[in-house]
Amino acid sequence: MVFATIVVFAAAFRLPGLFTDFWLDEIWTLSRTNLLNSPVEIFTEFLSSNNNHLNTLIFYLLGEQKQWMLYRLHSLAAGIGTVIIAWLIAYQKGRLEAIIASLLTAGSYLMIHYSSEARGYAMVIFFALLTFYAAQRFLQNSFWRWAVIMWLCMWLGFLSHLMYVHVFIALGFWLLVSLFKTCKTGQEISIRFIQCFGVPILSFVFFYIFIFRHMKIDEADEYNLFVVLVKTISYAAGGPASGPSAITVAALTACFQLYSLIWMWRKKCDEWVFYSFVIIISPVAILIINQPEVLFVRYFLISIAFAYIAISFALADIFRRFYTGKKFLVLLILLFLFGNGWNVVELFKYGRGGYLEGLRYVAAHSTEHNIRITSNNDFRNNMLIEYYKHFLPIDKKIVYVSQDNFPKEPAMWIILNRIGYPEEIYKTMIDAEGDIYKLVKSLPYSDLSGMDWYVYKKQGPKGEE
């Protein structure tokens, strides 16, 4: 009953996010998918980092759908499945561990957010956890079916997102440590390692040579490593996105995560090797070696998912060993759910932006048939406008004016987009021709996925209509 309740809770808090506006990355995937002639071109022609291959394949198979929530259903299924697998992994330690791990995963704002988005992140988390569970079962009984399940999960994990590499690295080191302890000879270690990891290694080489090394990084904003890490860890614990409170929450969470890994090591649990690599060592190593051009909170989702499971072991131990452990656990869970719930409410309130609402406002307050709009970013805003203009009344037609042609070609409306924490937003703007534009509509987004939209309407010289 507890398990069923947690799964229902997870589904209920993931469903509303499906109905938020389709945002840039999802529309980008859809627009590129519509240009493909066959599924093979997903791997040969769509070489953008925006291409999460398995997600794109699902888009291709679904075709044109007017209800964009249909493109998000696989993420919803993967998000709920992740909660189930978290229970199964933790249940091998105990029932309490399973309850804590699944509850943390079910109530996490980050897990909820990306379980309602048509990208590869929910699927890569699901396949990451399922890979680890299959590897555990294979080491316990050596049944080939678990090895085959692990191989399939690795293929699907890499096709979901390249950050699956963290699981690949962690699993390799953990298997070696486990085999050194259980096998009697070097030959036995080699055979067992090849059984379990030979196919995945060949798969990774294949993916790298033919797919990953050809992918290109697309347009993205600059980032501050410290800011991204603080936001990631704070959000994972239910804290705010920035500020002194976020730094405090992130520091306390990092300390407790470190405590949980040390606890596993002191209990002589070999799995501490896997958790240490997937949560800390692999992400840090790739940051140092690769020095990525772009970095987002979502790139650490696998580490966060496994962190919830590792933390559940330490929390369950505190619950059992200390008199005040029960009160501490209940208080911690309540704080976690409250903080994450607050962030989830922001997601439900603002979604991933108000693009359709913004264009409907423009259409309702325009008398002309051809509505001329320009913006501060042709790529981002024009893509959003091109998608959502099909949802406007048939007597209204959007004509987009590029930055190169503005203000030579006049526009009645200007849309500014801002991502993250924007600088000051002015109430009015003046173009090169002296025309004044007044801010008439602000459309914020919740954070992580999307952008703010600020809609300006032309008032004429000196504020005259």
Side-chain angles (χ1 to χ4, degrees), residues 113-180:
H113 184 107
Y114 290 102
S115 296
S116 61
E117 184 171 303
R119 304 283 285 130
Y121 302 107
M123 291 190 296
V124 75
I125 298 168
F126 171 75
F127 290 122
L129 266 64
L130 186 54
T131 304
F132 180 58
Y133 180 69
Q136 285 180 312
R137 298 303 299 270
F138 177 77
L139 287 176
Q140 290 167 4
N141 51 41
S142 299
F143 289 160
W144 269 100
R145 66 174 178 268
W146 290 112
V148 173
I149 291 172
M150 189 179 70
W151 300 342
L152 290 174
C153 288
M154 284 194 170
W155 274 77
L156 295 171
F158 274 123
L159 289 176
S160 297
H161 199 279
L162 182 55
M163 69 176 171
Y164 184 86
V165 72
H166 297 313
V167 176
F168 180 80
I169 293 171
L171 203 59
F173 278 96
W174 172 58
L175 285 173
L176 282 175
V177 171
S178 298
L179 292 174
F180 267 107

Side-chain angles (χ1 to χ4, degrees), residues 52-308:
N52 303 156
H53 299 86
L54 186 56
N55 178 68
T56 305
L57 178 61
I58 292 172
F59 270 63
Y60 182 88
L61 295 175
L62 285 173
E64 283 279 1
Q65 299 291 335
K66 193 166 185 179
Q67 297 295 329
W68 62 76
M69 65 162 289
L70 296 176
Y71 295 108
R72 292 170 166 170
L73 291 178
H74 62 281
S75 294
L76 173 66
I80 297 171
T82 295
V83 176
I84 296 172
I85 301 301
W87 173 285
L88 293 175
I89 292 172
Y91 195 80
Q92 297 178 76
K93 302 292 184 185
R95 185 176 298 174
L96 180 59
E97 286 84 349
I99 292 172
I100 297 171
S102 57
L103 192 57
L104 294 178
T105 307
S108 166
Y109 163 62
L110 293 177
M111 299 294 121
I112 291 170
H113 184 107
Y114 290 102
S115 296
S116 61
E117 184 171 303
R119 304 283 285 130
Y121 302 107
M123 291 190 296
V124 75
I125 298 168
F126 171 75
F127 290 122
L129 266 64
L130 186 54
T131 304
F132 180 58
Y133 180 69
Q136 285 180 312
R137 298 303 299 270
F138 177 77
L139 287 176
Q140 290 167 4
N141 51 41
S142 299
F143 289 160
W144 269 100
R145 66 174 178 268
W146 290 112
V148 173
I149 291 172
M150 189 179 70
W151 300 342
L152 290 174
C153 288
M154 284 194 170
W155 274 77
L156 295 171
F158 274 123
L159 289 176
S160 297
H161 199 279
L162 182 55
M163 69 176 171
Y164 184 86
V165 72
H166 297 313
V167 176
F168 180 80
I169 293 171
L171 203 59
F173 278 96
W174 172 58
L175 285 173
L176 282 175
V177 171
S178 298
L179 292 174
F180 267 107
K181 286 192 172 184
T182 57
C183 297
K184 298 178 180 179
T185 65
Q187 183 180 8
E188 186 181 356
I189 293 173
S190 301
I191 293 173
R192 293 267 287 167
F193 186 79
I194 292 172
Q195 275 183 324
C196 197
F197 220 60
V199 172
I201 290 174
L202 293 176
S203 303
F204 176 74
V205 172
F206 173 85
F207 281 127
Y208 177 77
I209 293 175
F210 294 103
I211 299 176
F212 296 140
R213 72 188 183 99
H214 300 292
M215 295 179 69
K216 301 173 183 176
I217 302 295
D218 293 298
E219 177 180 304
D221 298 315
E222 294 182 359
Y223 67 90
N224 181 296
L225 179 60
F226 179 76
V227 171
V228 173
L229 292 178
V230 166
K231 178 188 280 192
T232 301
I233 302 172
S234 179
Y235 265 160
S242 63
S245 298
I247 295 174
T248 302
V249 172
L252 292 174
T253 304
C255 289
F256 195 77
Q257 178 62 76
L258 187 61
Y259 166 80
S260 68
L261 295 174
I262 293 173
W263 178 87
M264 293 176 70
W265 170 71
R266 293 184 64 183
K267 291 291 181 179
K268 298 181 179 180
C269 175
D270 291 343
E271 291 170 357
W272 78 269
V273 176
F274 174 85
Y275 286 104
S276 297
F277 268 89
V278 78
I279 296 171
I280 300 174
I281 299 174
S282 179
V284 170
I286 289 179
L287 282 175
I288 295 172
I289 297 170
N290 194 39
Q291 297 183 358
E293 297 177 38
V294 296
L295 190 68
F296 299 104
V297 170
R298 55 185 180 262
Y299 290 173
F300 298 95
L301 290 175
I302 286 179
S303 300
I304 293 167
F306 280 106
Y308 290 144

Side-chain angles (χ1 to χ4, degrees), residues 314-421:
L315 285 175
D317 180 68
I318 292 172
F319 180 89
R320 294 186 181 107
R321 288 177 57 198
F322 300 102
Y323 175 76
T324 57
K326 295 177 178 60
K327 295 180 180 178
F328 174 76
L329 176 62
V330 171
L331 177 62
L332 208 61
I333 294 293
L334 288 176
L335 288 174
F336 175 88
L337 293 177
F338 176 80
N340 280 277
W342 184 274
N343 291 328
V344 169
V345 168
E346 291 291 300
L347 172 64
F348 294 166
K349 182 179 180 181
Y350 298 112
R352 294 167 172 87
Y355 320 113
L356 183 55
E357 180 186 348
L359 289 183
R360 282 175 172 167
Y361 178 90
V362 168
H365 292 80
S366 298
T367 56
E368 63 272 17
H369 171 67
N370 292 327
I371 306 171
R372 302 177 67 82
I373 301 176
T374 189
S375 77
N376 65 321
N377 190 303
D378 290 338
F379 172 76
R380 290 173 175 170
N381 294 315
N382 191 26
M383 185 176 292
L384 292 166
I385 290 170
E386 282 294 313
Y387 179 77
Y388 283 108
K389 72 180 185 181
H390 301 292
F391 296 89
L392 299 180
I394 57 175
D395 62 329
K396 301 293 183 180
K397 180 182 178 182
I398 301 292
V399 178
Y400 186 80
V401 179
S402 68
Q403 293 183 69
D404 292 337
N405 295 326
F406 179 79
K408 292 178 290 184
E409 293 184 22
M412 180 60 68
W413 301 86
I414 296 177
I415 293 177
L416 301 186
N417 73 271
R418 294 287 187 271
I419 297 176
Y421 302 95

Side-chain angles (χ1 to χ4, degrees), residues 7-18:
V7 172
V8 171
F9 166 78
F13 276 85
R14 282 156 174 76
L15 275 171
L18 299 181

